[in-house]
Amino acid sequence: MLIITALMIAIILMGIIVSVHESQMLFLKTRSLVVREVVGAITADFQRALAVTLAVATRGYYNYSRFRDLCAKFGGFGYTAIEKHNFTVARLMALTYLQYWRETIVKAYANYGVQVDFEIERLNISELIGRRRYVYNLSAGYWYYPSSASVAYARLKLNLTSAGFYGWESPVFAGIYLTVQPEPVSVTDDNMTIRINVRIDSGDPYPYLLTKGWIEVYYPEERNDQWTGAWKKGDIKDVTYEGYGNYSVTVSPAVRILTDPLSGQQYVPLLVVVSDHRGILVEALTYNKIVFKIRKNTPDTLNYHPENLNKCKSRNRVDSINRPSETPYEIYTIDFSSDLRLFWLDMELSKDPTLAIPPLPFMPIKQLRVNISYDGTIDTLRERPLQVENWTKIFWYDREVWVPYGMPDPTIDIRPYIQLGNKYFATRFVFQVPFPRLDISEQWVVFWWNDSLDAVPRVWPTNINYTYDPYNDIKDIIVNSSPGIRIELIDTEHTTMRDYVNYNGVAAIGLRSLSDEAFGPWNIHSFGDVYCGGHHYLGRFRPYGKWVVLANYTGRYSWLRAPIRIFAVLNTSLVASVYDCDRYYGNPRGGYYSTLSILSVVNGTSYIPLIVHIYWQHSRSDYSYWLYSMMGAGKPQKFAYITGWKSSYYNYLENTVRVRSYSSVCNKCYERGSCYSCYHVGYIAPGLWYAHWNSTVGRGVVVNENFVSLLKWSKNHNFNPAFYVTRCGGPTGIQNSLEVKFADDDVTIYPDEINSLLDYWIVLTMFTPHNLNEGWQDLYYQAPMFWRGYAPEIVKP
Amino acid sequence: MNKRGQTRIIELLLATVILAAAVVFSLFFARPMRSIYVRETSTLRRLAYNVLNNYAMSGVFENIILHGNLTGRPWQNEMATFMSMTLPPEILYYLEVYHAVLRNGTVTLRLLGTITNISDNQFTSLIESESITYTYVSTGEPDKTRGIILVFHLVLGFSG
């Protein structure tokens, strides 16, 4: 009985439970639709929100000006034109925007009790772009390679508390992947067909490129059969969708096919930009590096005529010195210009005509890197310092002159060139190519680019530093190496050389030891003499102006120092006197000559080039004309120079090396000057180098062929050009100077005759003499690298 | 007496069982209360989401609402025409469009406009209606409208 009763109660209870369950199911059935649709709608909207932030970031990164309509709207979220190439700022903008989106969702779906959040996770996209790459922090872009991507990724978390729905999580992707096949499918005379693959989000093929998105193909601009470095928009003739995200794109014109020397991969240099319907953009290139070689042309053996000091003439025999097998000083500082030309000193280097250098990508400067070999093999290709400079080619009076005018903001785009009226602007990428041994004749140079939009400029250690401290009387470029040197810039801003004299605005270069001991000034140009205060003074009219120093990048990276070289540029049309009894002391005047000088202090080398352009404004007559004079304190014991031409009158042949001791100058052959207690003696036919040294340290001046041509012209016009040395007491004691005079007598300058010759360079070179007697050889070893005739060239690997 | 009492108890239990079984079986087999209403409204809700999803995917919000707001075009008329064309004829709709504006760190919903095919007297006879909320981040062209967040309240129903 009892059992039956229990059974009955159980049956009743079960019936009640079943009916309650049924009611609950009905409730959930009606609610599940709401949940499903709301969750779906919010997830889709989150993806759209991610897509918008990525569209702003990628469009701004590619070309903020072009997409200003979109990008400027996000200024309120912290994204501005200045920060267009700062993906961190773009990411912060995205997070702020997503916060706004979250608040909107919570407000809009308030009756569902929505709680929404997202979590940033790492996403591996390596398989999709064919190299190891991740999205670490909400969004990332990997561009400028044949396979490129722009991706945003987050995990959405959602609760609908009113519907009793908790813990929903969904990975959400927004992105676009573009792969460009480097080699064209077909090429005709007029056009070529390339194949690309476009995918979106988590790798889904994108079939809407033509209907909803867009594609642009750029090819290298050509002028006079040379690529200019600029990109031109190609004319897309046909696009065919082939399925699975593949498109074949026919574009005009046809472009020549190149081969990557390192990989052997053939490619047609093209830049492809693709946008999906949401505005997410990606830029890809068919190549990821530019490769060429630098070949040195300096000789292994150097010839000269020795001097017969007994007869004061050249010996007829030719002696040779072999350059040592180790040549650590042979380091070229090369400029690769954005218009695809290469420079060394003030000359454009010749390029193998079969070598085609494709343009740099349309990308910010900060992405660019350079690898250079050390022993001529690809095994030693390593990333090396790279410096970026702005240069302009201007019409300076009667000639075209290249002048550096600053270091750019590394976050701005590479502009191949800009032509504004008579001015031409280009960016130069400066790198150093070492030839540490005689047997190394070629070095690899590989320009490549960091594909991450998060890339920042590399900070390279450097031994050069510029210090401007007017309160402590310092305007110095310091070379903190061995042997170190301080270059004191004397000018209108810093008038007095420390422990020396007040130049009162005349521009010169003070040479000092690292411990700030003054060696003396390097006077870069002077004309005429003056009799005042009871004395006769030489070099009356000297350039008057200010050295403008270029030592730091600009913009956000103004803290970043120039790692390779620091420029000091002097551009003036005035001259003044350094003698305080002269009426032109501190009282500049025009009507003489204008000076444009570019001093570059180079890291890791023993040379300091000074490029000089002089323009005479009017005809002038006076006594003597110096092209430079360089004081050397009283330390050098010996000096030497090489003759620049044959002097029949004095029986000296071209390339005669004449060596002297400062202590016995007056006993030996000299042709000009006077030899009293404070001597000032001159030698004929000054040539391509001048040196003085003691047993431990040497300093020399190497000039280029233009300089010698100028002196030859002077000789032909009987102005008596001469190399001079002096040994006189100065403000810092005994001064041993090296000087070259264009004219050692009365001279009349006619601008029309001479101006075209006044472009030359002088290279101050430090060396370590291997012994006291033959110290000059250590300068001679270095000298050919500064001559046009031995300039390096660019060759095909 | 004892036997009779037991019989009563058995009768009582049997009666209870029969009653309970009847109730449970009727619950099992009977349709839920107002099932027609549930089915109709869930269909309407699904229809509402489908319509707005389709509009979103085909760029209707950018092309009509946002572009209209930019240019001053009568976007509400265009949208009404569009909705009338895309919804079944017997469906009544009422759509409110808001722009989620961020000002001083706070989001406010600013009404851009309403679109409806319901006349005033039909509101009172609207039966089996369903309302949904939908948000839309504008992603399509033109660039000027990308990133604008729209919020929609859409009511679909049948006239009684």
Side-chain angles (χ1 to χ4, degrees):
Chain A
M1 191 62 183
L2 198 62
I3 293 166
I4 292 168
T5 308
L7 270 172
M8 290 302 110
I9 291 168
I11 289 167
I12 292 163
L13 282 173
M14 282 171 68
I16 292 166
I17 287 165
V18 167
S19 86
V20 168
H21 175 71
E22 176 67 8
S23 314
Q24 192 182 10
M25 289 303 291
L26 179 66
F27 174 79
L28 287 178
K29 267 185 187 174
T30 53
R31 283 291 178 271
S32 70
L33 179 65
V34 174
V35 168
R36 197 167 61 229
E37 298 290 357
V38 170
V39 166
I42 292 176
T43 305
D45 209 39
F46 181 63
Q47 190 187 38
R48 283 191 290 265
L50 268 185
V52 160
T53 61
L54 190 60
V56 174
T58 55
R59 289 189 165 216
Y61 205 94
Y62 175 65
N63 191 338
Y64 187 97
S65 309
R66 176 173 164 187
F67 300 109
R68 181 174 290 277
D69 275 356
L70 172 65
C71 300
K73 272 179 40 188
F74 284 77
F77 297 101
Y79 189 69
T80 59
I82 298 167
E83 303 287 4
K84 64 184 177 182
H85 289 144
N86 186 340
F87 222 66
T88 303
V89 170
R91 209 169 270 125
L92 290 173
M93 170 274 292
L95 290 171
T96 313
Y97 180 84
L98 290 176
Q99 182 60 30
Y100 155 51
W101 175 83
R102 275 178 63 191
E103 282 186 34
T104 306
I105 294 297
V106 169
K107 187 158 274 187
Y109 294 96
N111 54 333
Y112 294 104
V114 167
Q115 293 172 337
V116 62
D117 200 356
F118 59 89
E119 190 174 288
I120 296 168
E121 295 178 338
R122 191 181 79 156
L123 175 69
N124 186 349
I125 56 167
S126 305
E127 278 191 22
L128 283 162
I129 64 171
R131 58 189 183 279
R132 186 178 291 192
R133 293 291 182 270
Y134 299 89
V135 179
Y136 287 102
N137 192 3
L138 187 66
S139 56
Y142 298 103
W143 291 9
Y144 318 120
Y145 272 45
S147 185
S148 299
S150 303
V151 187
Y153 169 71
R155 178 173 290 275
L156 179 68
K157 295 181 165 184
L158 198 59
N159 298 328
L160 302 183
T161 55
S162 301
F165 181 80
Y166 293 90
W168 172 264
E169 289 188 9
S170 173
V172 179
F173 310 84
I176 185 164
Y177 304 86
L178 168 65
T179 302
V180 184
Q181 192 175 300
E183 203 174 354
V185 178
S186 64
V187 181
T188 68
D189 288 345
D190 302 325
N191 55 46
M192 60 199 160
T193 302
I194 56 166
R195 181 167 287 127
I196 65 168
N197 181 273
V198 186
R199 291 173 182 269
I200 59 164
D201 300 341
S202 53
D204 310 319
Y206 186 62
Y208 307 117
L209 187 61
L210 290 177
T211 51
K212 295 181 176 179
W214 53 258
I215 176 173
E216 290 174 353
V217 180
Y218 294 85
Y219 66 95
E221 182 188 65
E222 194 166 313
R223 196 177 297 146
N224 304 325
D225 290 332
Q226 293 284 320
W227 284 333
T228 63
W231 292 100
K232 281 190 87 173
K233 197 170 173 181
D235 185 10
I236 294 177
K237 299 287 186 190
D238 185 42
V239 180
T240 308
Y241 184 57
E242 297 170 337
Y244 296 104
N246 293 316
Y247 294 83
S248 66
V249 182
T250 302
V251 62
S252 176
V255 177
R256 76 186 111 151
I257 296 172
L258 307 179
T259 304
D260 181 332
L262 288 175
S263 65
Q265 168 76 55
Q266 286 203 315
Y267 66 95
V268 58
L270 294 176
L271 186 153
V272 181
V273 184
V274 157
S275 171
D276 73 359
H277 57 287
R278 300 164 297 186
I280 304 172
L281 192 142
V282 65
E283 176 184 333
L285 263 92
T286 49
Y287 53 103
N288 58 14
K289 56 186 167 298
I290 295 171
V291 185
F292 54 83
K293 277 184 161 186
I294 304 281
R295 179 188 290 158
K296 71 173 183 184
N297 283 315
T298 46
D300 292 351
T301 303
L302 303 165
N303 299 325
Y304 67 99
H305 294 286
E307 184 181 11
N308 183 340
L309 276 170
N310 295 325
K311 295 184 178 176
C312 290
K313 59 182 278 194
S314 301
R315 292 184 190 278
N316 281 331
R317 75 166 196 265
V318 175
D319 283 3
S320 297
I321 51 171
N322 293 320
R323 296 175 72 211
S325 59
E326 304 293 321
T327 53
Y329 42 78
E330 193 161 355
I331 300 170
Y332 295 91
T333 305
I334 307 279
D335 308 4
F336 176 43
S337 176
S338 50
D339 60 5
L340 310 181
R341 297 191 282 176
L342 288 110
F343 296 86
W344 158 233
L345 296 171
D346 194 27
M347 64 184 146
E348 185 178 348
L349 298 179
S350 73
K351 214 163 39 178
D352 179 347
T354 63
L355 171 69
I357 297 179
L360 290 164
F362 181 68
M363 66 180 184
I365 289 165
K366 67 187 176 77
Q367 314 282 143
L368 197 66
R369 305 283 187 268
V370 67
N371 283 16
I372 298 159
S373 63
Y374 189 74
D375 65 359
T377 70
I378 55 171
D379 299 334
T380 54
L381 265 175
R382 301 277 186 283
E383 191 180 346
R384 315 280 180 194
L386 180 69
Q387 178 167 320
V388 190
E389 298 161 358
N390 287 327
W391 284 71
T392 178
K393 188 167 67 178
I394 56 169
F395 274 97
W396 190 73
Y397 299 103
D398 56 348
R399 68 200 81 165
E400 281 190 334
V401 177
W402 277 106
V403 191
Y405 66 92
M407 295 180 67
D409 177 348
T411 64
I412 64 164
D413 287 312
I414 295 172
R415 298 288 296 271
Y417 64 88
I418 300 169
Q419 182 88 53
L420 283 176
N422 279 339
K423 285 191 174 178
Y424 179 89
F425 300 89
T427 307
R428 290 192 183 180
F429 304 95
V430 182
F431 56 98
Q432 292 184 305
V433 185
F435 288 91
R437 294 198 316 266
L438 212 56
D439 62 331
I440 300 167
S441 58
E442 292 181 352
Q443 294 284 26
W444 288 86
V445 178
V446 179
F447 273 93
W448 57 281
W449 32 92
N450 188 325
D451 63 342
S452 170
L453 304 193
D454 281 305
V456 292
R458 193 80 82 195
V459 180
W460 291 100
T462 182
N463 288 321
I464 52 172
N465 185 33
Y466 171 60
T467 303
Y468 179 55
D469 181 358
Y471 298 106
N472 290 305
D473 213 18
I474 294 172
K475 185 177 181 179
D476 290 8
I477 302 171
I478 301 160
V479 184
N480 245 323
S481 56
S482 180
I485 194 166
R486 291 178 83 107
I487 309 290
E488 185 179 1
L489 299 169
I490 306 153
D491 60 4
T492 50
E493 197 172 59
H494 172 64
T495 54
T496 306
M497 182 177 175
R498 295 189 295 280
D499 308 323
Y500 211 74
V501 295
N502 185 350
Y503 270 45
N504 218 346
V506 164
I509 298 159
L511 301 176
R512 319 182 71 88
S513 71
L514 276 184
S515 58
D516 211 26
E517 177 195 358
F519 297 143
W522 172 4
N523 299 308
I524 60 173
H525 218 72
S526 56
F527 181 75
D529 65 346
V530 62
Y531 186 83
C532 65
H535 292 281
H536 180 225
Y537 294 103
L538 300 174
R540 185 184 191 188
F541 294 109
R542 309 186 186 194
Y544 177 96
K546 180 181 153 187
W547 292 104
V548 176
V549 180
L550 313 175
N552 278 63
Y553 287 93
T554 49
R556 285 189 69 232
Y557 288 90
S558 56
W559 54 269
L560 189 58
R561 290 190 296 157
I564 293 181
R565 64 184 176 194
I566 293 174
F567 282 115
V569 180
L570 172 72
N571 190 357
T572 177
S573 59
L574 300 175
V575 292
S577 170
V578 296
Y579 303 112
D580 55 8
C581 57
D582 189 351
R583 64 191 169 115
Y584 293 117
Y585 179 65
N587 178 27
R589 58 161 298 171
Y592 273 77
Y593 59 86
S594 300
T595 309
L596 176 53
S597 286
I598 303 160
L599 177 80
S600 50
V601 179
V602 188
N603 183 50
T605 68
S606 53
Y607 58 82
I608 298 173
L610 178 74
I611 295 164
V612 182
H613 306 285
I614 301 290
Y615 175 81
W616 278 89
Q617 299 157 17
H618 296 288
S619 296
R620 295 286 171 189
S621 296
D622 214 319
Y623 172 78
S624 283
Y625 181 4
W626 284 260
L627 296 183
Y628 78 84
S629 64
M630 189 181 291
M631 307 300 169
K635 294 183 178 176
Q637 292 172 268
K638 305 198 78 166
F639 65 88
Y641 82 104
I642 194 165
T643 56
W645 58 87
K646 181 183 174 183
S647 168
S648 305
Y649 184 79
Y650 288 107
N651 290 317
Y652 279 98
L653 299 169
E654 186 178 350
N655 284 338
T656 302
V657 174
R658 304 180 72 184
V659 188
R660 299 286 186 278
S661 289
Y662 275 107
S663 59
S664 59
V665 167
C666 297
N667 306 331
K668 301 285 166 69
C669 324
Y670 65 92
E671 292 81 42
R672 303 197 62 83
S674 57
C675 205
Y676 301 112
S677 58
C678 173
Y679 64 73
H680 185 77
V681 295
Y683 301 88
I684 49 95
L688 285 161
W689 58 257
Y690 316 88
H692 59 184
W693 68 94
N694 58 27
S695 55
T696 55
V697 66
R699 193 189 304 151
V701 175
V702 181
V703 297
N704 71 344
E705 291 89 334
N706 293 29
F707 189 93
V708 177
S709 299
L710 177 67
L711 295 170
K712 281 182 186 170
W713 185 91
S714 166
K715 186 259 302 181
N716 293 336
H717 288 75
N718 301 316
F719 291 142
N720 296 321
F723 163 59
Y724 263 84
V725 289
T726 61
R727 188 175 171 83
C728 285
T732 56
I734 292 294
Q735 293 273 322
N736 291 342
S737 73
L738 302 179
E739 304 176 9
V740 170
K741 282 183 165 184
F742 172 83
D744 193 26
D745 277 318
D746 288 337
V747 59
T748 300
I749 297 297
Y750 297 105
D752 291 347
E753 291 178 353
I754 196 173
N755 274 343
S756 62
L757 295 167
L758 284 164
D759 288 302
Y760 55 85
W761 62 75
I762 298 172
V763 184
L764 168 64
T765 310
M766 273 90 54
F767 59 92
T768 306
H770 66 279
N771 64 43
L772 182 60
N773 287 333
E774 295 173 323
W776 59 272
Q777 293 181 359
D778 296 282
L779 177 72
Y780 200 6
Y781 295 148
Q782 300 187 36
M785 65 181 285
F786 304 113
W787 299 336
R788 286 182 181 275
Y790 295 110
E793 57 188 324
I794 316 304
V795 295
K796 203 172 178 176
Chain B
M1 183 64 195
N2 214 6
K3 277 188 178 175
R4 194 177 293 170
Q6 286 176 353
T7 309
R8 293 265 164 81
I9 289 167
I10 290 165
E11 284 170 358
L12 183 66
L13 284 170
L14 281 172
T16 309
V17 167
I18 290 162
L19 275 170
V23 169
V24 168
F25 277 104
S26 66
L27 280 172
F28 269 121
F29 294 108
R31 284 182 297 183
M33 282 174 67
R34 303 199 65 182
S35 65
I36 295 170
Y37 175 80
V38 170
R39 212 163 29 239
E40 290 291 356
T41 56
S42 60
T43 307
L44 285 173
R45 188 180 294 121
R46 189 172 291 128
L47 176 63
Y49 276 113
N50 281 346
V51 162
L52 293 182
N53 275 333
N54 286 338
Y55 288 177
M57 288 173 70
S58 52
V60 168
F61 300 137
E62 285 91 348
N63 291 337
I64 295 180
I65 299 175
L66 294 174
H67 194 246
N69 264 282
L70 277 181
T71 58
R73 236 167 49 188
W75 64 273
Q76 280 146 301
N77 296 344
E78 285 178 35
M79 195 68 198
T81 310
F82 202 82
M83 290 190 77
S84 301
M85 284 162 61
T86 47
L87 286 168
E90 69 275 16
I91 298 286
L92 300 175
Y93 65 84
Y94 176 79
L95 176 67
E96 287 177 347
V97 184
Y98 295 88
H99 177 199
V101 181
L102 182 66
R103 193 160 292 149
N104 301 326
T106 308
V107 175
T108 50
L109 300 183
R110 187 167 64 85
L111 183 65
L112 290 181
T114 56
I115 303 113
T116 182
N117 65 349
I118 306 172
S119 55
D120 288 343
N121 57 357
Q122 280 178 308
F123 267 109
T124 51
S125 57
L126 190 67
I127 60 162
E128 294 173 2
S129 65
E130 188 66 39
S131 75
I132 68 154
T133 299
Y134 191 84
T135 56
Y136 181 75
V137 175
S138 165
T139 56
E141 295 278 359
D143 262 356
K144 270 185 184 171
T145 64
R146 285 196 163 109
I148 291 174
I149 304 180
L150 298 176
V151 178
F152 300 91
H153 289 307
L154 174 61
V155 181
L156 294 186
F158 294 106
S159 174

